[in-house]
Amino acid sequence: MTIWDAIILGIVEGLTEFLPVSSTGHLTIASKILGQQIDDPAITAFTAVIQFGAIAAVVLFMWKEIRKYAVAWFRGLRHPEYRGEFDHRMGWFVIVGSLPICIVGFLARDIISGPLRSMWWVAVSLIVWSFFMVAAERLGSKSRPLEKLTLVDAIVMGLVQCLALIPGVSRSGATLVGGLFRGLDRVAATRMAFLLGIPALVGAAVFELPHALGGDVGLAPVLVGTLVSFIVGYASVAWLIRFVAKHSIEIFAFYRILLGVVILILLATSTITAT
């Protein structure tokens, strides 16, 4: 992998990690265009490791909230009288909501990095999950702010997040859909999706780091891709929060369907191969 490849993939990661369009799907497509072997363990690992940049971006953007919840959580552990506060409970919501994808991701790691790394999976998942996004937007009441989040909401969003292990579904899109179906407003669902994404992305990146560095990718491309994903990711996070406050997420669904159809046509005509 060249430095230019790493820069391009870093841009793709930063732009798509927190948008409901599937960063894994787009990284798979971009890697394919760049001539990479998308089912190569080293390439799979690289795309997971550069998520460190996106993680750093969302942590920086939401640092005040993260710090507030962390302080309240630890304070509640020491002092029972604080355990009824929302900020303390929010700490538990993030922990509990993050467990499903950590467990499923570990148990299904060979499937995720193997058979699921196919352009067919990406195309079909992009299209199918788009209909869930439209349904969530139109059927969800969008009436509850983040302060009304419950443990059940966190569990549901955490379980739905597991579907993002399928390339093309989108981790942020999955959790966002779960939140909307639970009646959360778009901003609340999006911010919770960001918070649930931090443990999931950290776990995946740490697990894949040895594979990325031990393959043919090299340290320099990993560092460059991570840095680029951080810079672009921060701008993407800030933009998405402003966007969902006033706009429907259906525009992302329509884009996903169009992209998925294009990929299917290219695959069906043997213009591109599945792996």
Side-chain angles (χ1 to χ4, degrees), residues 223-244:
L223 292 177
V224 171
T226 302
L227 177 60
V228 172
S229 73
F230 165 73
I231 297 171
V232 179
Y234 188 88
S236 177
V237 168
W239 177 84
L240 183 61
I241 286 292
R242 291 194 299 269
F243 180 86
V244 297

Side-chain angles (χ1 to χ4, degrees), residues 132-155:
F132 286 94
M133 291 172 60
V134 173
E137 179 66 47
R138 298 187 179 185
L139 300 178
S141 64
K142 298 183 286 292
S143 59
R144 292 192 292 133
L146 188 64
E147 292 72 22
K148 297 296 183 180
L149 188 81
T150 67
L151 179 60
V152 175
D153 296 330
I155 293 174

